[in-house]
Amino acid sequence: MAGLCEGSNESPGSLKTIFKRILRSNWAEQPPVRTPEELWDRVLDAWEKMAKNLDLSHNLVDSMPRRMRADVDAGGLWTRC
């Protein structure tokens, strides 16, 4: 089917999904956010944790040709990659 990646279950997931997972895991360990500055601090902390994971970074970079091909094949529409 056009727009679906071969072997997409081996994909590290989208950057958004991975970032959400890291942010949520940190969220449970901390008190509620009370100010926009506290929220920004948590977002930056999650971003830094994700950026330090070199395996994740390499997997995302290595998956780009496959993801780009799926986007082209789908005519720019949604894909599962």
Side-chain angles (χ1 to χ4, degrees):
M1 174 186 283
L4 298 181
C5 284
E6 295 296 323
S8 61
N9 59 349
E10 297 174 5
S11 170
S14 72
L15 187 59
K16 176 184 169 188
T17 302
I18 295 165
F19 185 67
K20 258 179 27 180
R21 192 178 317 132
I22 292 170
L23 191 57
R24 284 182 180 167
S25 71
N26 292 345
W27 212 272
E29 302 168 358
Q30 299 178 10
V33 171
R34 301 202 188 278
T35 67
E37 291 79 17
E38 287 178 8
L39 176 60
W40 186 244
D41 287 343
R42 288 205 196 163
V43 169
L44 286 177
D45 182 54
W47 186 261
E48 288 171 1
K49 285 182 180 182
M50 188 172 59
K52 288 179 183 177
N53 186 336
L54 293 180
D55 286 339
L56 171 63
S57 299
H58 290 153
N59 287 340
L60 288 170
V61 169
D62 290 345
S63 71
M64 284 308 297
R66 178 179 45 79
R67 292 170 186 265
M68 297 296 288
R69 174 82 291 176
D71 286 342
V72 169
D73 291 348
L77 300 175
W78 180 84
T79 70
R80 291 188 183 178
C81 298

